[in-house]
Amino acid sequence: MSFQDLGLSEAVVHGAQRMGYVDPTPIQLRAFPVVLTGSDLIASAQTGTGKTAAFALPILTLLGEPQGRTRCLVLEPTRELAMQVETAFRDFSRFLSIQTALIHGGVGYNAQREALKSCDVVVATPGRLLDHLERGDARLAETQILVLDEVDRMLDMGFLPDVRRIIEKCPKSRQTLFFSATIPEEIERLSTWCLKDPAKIEIGVRRSPAETVNHAFYPVSSSQKFDFLLALLERTDFDSALIFTRTKDGADRIARKLKSQRHSVAVLHSNRTQTERVEALEGFKNGRFSVMVATDIAARGIDIAGVSHVINYDVPQHPEDYVHRIGRTGRAQNVGDAFTIMVAEELPHVKAIERFIGQRVPRLKVDGFPYVYTALFNESSVEEALRSAKGVRGLRGTTFGRRKRR
Ligand code: AMP
């Protein structure tokens, strides 16, 4: 089925075609009819599946002519996602006169206040939108369509109380679309409260990394982590490498050290100013920086085409984050590599990841790296030690696997 056959308006179809879209993705095929008939929707779908267009294209079709009042509100957990989704709305509506306002923190209020006066679509993060609502600069009384995007992320970030307050300001007779990669109990409760008889779509709930990603763990002693990162970068023919760290301080520290080794490095985390965040992301996208060091804020949803390598400097503590992080590479059938540096204390997280994705990830070594001994060279002994030290149960013995150089 092509975009023309799915009930979207001609101007919207042109907008999608101008973006180079030829065929709808599976989530688009299923979401368009639901949204166009005005039903509520609960979709468990991750970014990378085409979910933004899955809601934006039918919403723009429903909105039709501009009216200069907020008729559609899209809530996003992070500024970066809000910016990305707002850009998508603008791109798709280039043959319409619909205006979209982008509302997020970290920047001034005036331009946002102006934009709110005459827009049809608001794409916002919850905190700043509440500020505008309290100041009387935003009105949601005429909202016909409410989109809650990346709801599980909003839950993680503690936004659900704000989200509830915002929903209470929208009319009860609205249409609500709900997107979340996972639907834990708290989100289930929220959805029961804010959705009416929703259609359900479950797509791309990926527990396994894309097949186009080659991924491996690299055991190393914790004293050698940074040197090992340098060795990995040196020996890898990368165009663009995204390095994830657990903490913001860690991201700053590694970026500083990489810069001193003459790498061109951007840093992305939530303590940076909005201007710095935009600069980092743009510079990484356009190739000015070949390396970006980021915390998980960048792992979810941010659409960066052509990341050739993802390196986890720390093993992600939540298995889902592993899939999200390495999902930054190998997008849209491009082949990518994902390396995870692991130290002995992180073995339980590694095991949790392997249980979650249902496969054992190869352990690899880098030829010629001056390894000092790590107990991980005999994983089963580490597991044994962890079991007796912490009473950890259920870890099965494994041996150190393939040792070939990548
Ligand atoms: P999303 O899941 O919304 O983050 O989209 C992931 C990427 O897929 C973005 O770069 C979109 O521009 C792209 N995309 C979405 N829908 C299509 C489509 N039908 N054809 C080609 N690319 C698409």
Side-chain angles (χ1 to χ4, degrees):
M1 267 229 217
S2 70
F3 279 104
Q4 279 93 340
D5 305 324
L6 291 161
L8 301 172
S9 71
E10 216 171 295
V12 167
V13 172
H14 283 155
Q17 285 168 338
R18 183 59 78 84
M19 295 294 293
Y21 298 2
V22 179
D23 297 314
T25 65
I27 190 169
Q28 290 161 7
L29 281 173
R30 293 182 57 192
F32 291 164
V34 174
V35 181
L36 289 170
T37 51
S39 300
D40 282 3
L41 170 67
I42 177 161
S44 45
Q46 291 183 343
T47 45
T49 53
K51 80 177 159 71
T52 312
F55 60 80
L57 298 178
I59 285 175
L60 287 167
T61 297
L62 292 175
L63 294 179
E65 293 299 314
Q67 296 184 9
R69 326 174 259 124
T70 304
R71 290 180 292 149
C72 169
L73 169 65
V74 182
L75 287 180
E76 296 288 339
T78 65
R79 297 170 193 176
E80 281 75 13
L81 275 168
M83 285 160 61
Q84 193 170 293
V85 168
E86 190 248 5
T87 305
F89 266 92
R90 278 182 198 269
D91 287 336
F92 297 143
S93 61
R94 75 176 81 212
F95 302 110
L96 294 161
S97 310
I98 295 281
Q99 298 294 313
T100 304
L102 172 63
I103 305 296
H104 59 64
V107 292
Y109 282 77
N110 286 345
Q112 295 185 353
R113 196 177 297 126
E114 276 310 301
L116 282 167
K117 283 183 185 158
S118 57
C119 63
D120 294 89
V121 178
V122 172
V123 180
T125 53
R128 177 58 69 91
L129 180 63
L130 275 173
D131 284 352
H132 281 294
L133 286 165
E134 273 154 25
R135 292 164 181 227
D137 295 331
R139 285 191 75 238
L140 299 180
E142 293 179 76
T143 306
Q144 296 163 4
I145 308 167
L146 169 67
V147 181
L148 304 178
D149 195 17
E150 303 264 333
V151 188
D152 49 351
R153 194 65 178 163
M154 299 216 237
L155 171 74
D156 290 349
M157 297 174 76
F159 285 153
L160 286 200
D162 285 355
V163 170
R164 280 179 183 265
R165 283 172 61 204
I166 292 169
I167 297 175
E168 277 165 354
K169 295 188 190 295
C170 296
K172 286 218 158 41
S173 59
R174 62 176 194 265
Q175 178 181 16
T176 310
L177 314 176
F178 198 100
F179 291 83
S180 192
T182 54
I183 319 267
E185 211 177 299
E186 199 170 349
I187 292 185
E188 188 83 52
R189 277 201 298 276
L190 177 76
S191 72
T192 317
W193 174 70
C194 73
L195 295 171
K196 282 188 299 290
D197 196 17
K200 291 199 171 130
I201 297 179
E202 207 172 305
I203 271 177
V205 187
R206 218 196 250 156
R207 288 176 79 86
S208 59
E211 280 164 15
T212 50
V213 178
N214 299 313
H215 56 128
F217 288 126
Y218 288 81
V220 72
S221 139
S222 50
S223 63
Q224 289 194 302
K225 274 179 92 172
F226 185 74
D227 290 342
F228 188 76
L229 173 66
L230 281 181
L232 266 183
L233 289 173
E234 258 162 39
R235 282 153 216 243
T236 308
D237 185 19
F238 70 93
D239 302 320
S240 55
L242 184 49
I243 301 174
F244 286 109
T245 61
R246 193 146 47 221
T247 63
K248 299 168 201 170
D249 286 349
D252 285 333
R253 200 174 52 247
I254 286 158
R256 247 191 334 268
K257 285 163 99 175
L258 286 174
K259 276 183 204 158
S260 73
Q261 301 287 325
R262 302 188 182 285
H263 284 285
S264 62
V265 187
V267 192
L268 185 69
H269 61 63
S270 57
N271 277 4
R272 308 211 74 211
T273 66
Q274 188 55 24
T275 317
E276 289 169 335
R277 283 158 70 158
V278 171
E279 244 174 51
L281 205 50
E282 287 307 311
F284 186 60
K285 280 184 185 173
N286 67 28
R288 197 170 117 227
F289 304 114
S290 55
V291 177
M292 182 157 81
V293 187
T295 54
D296 265 319
I297 194 171
R300 291 247 187 160
I302 304 289
D303 185 28
I304 305 169
V307 175
S308 65
H309 291 78
V310 166
I311 301 179
N312 289 314
Y313 191 76
D314 306 298
V315 177
Q317 292 188 320
H318 302 291
E320 316 83 80
D321 286 340
Y322 181 77
V323 180
H324 285 129
R325 286 185 187 187
I326 76 172
R328 299 303 92 213
T329 182
R331 279 169 90 92
Q333 302 307 307
N334 289 323
V335 176
D337 283 319
F339 307 144
T340 300
I341 300 175
M342 68 184 275
V343 298
E345 302 78 65
E346 293 174 316
L347 190 58
H349 299 313
V350 169
K351 294 287 164 189
I353 288 167
E354 291 183 325
R355 272 197 301 277
F356 182 75
I357 64 177
Q359 53 179 269
R360 180 178 155 81
V361 182
R363 286 19 169 195
L364 300 183
K365 280 182 117 177
V366 166
D367 278 352
F369 181 73
Y371 282 99
V372 298
Y373 177 78
T374 160
L376 277 179
F377 292 157
N378 180 356
E379 260 187 44
S380 48
S381 70
V382 182
E383 288 175 45
E384 193 50 51
L386 285 168
R387 249 198 304 272
S388 45
K390 296 186 192 161
V392 176
R393 284 167 176 274
L395 295 174
R396 267 206 236 106
T398 44
T399 47
F400 188 63
R402 279 160 56 197
R403 297 186 180 206
K404 96 173 188 259
R405 188 192 151 188
R406 291 168 58 83

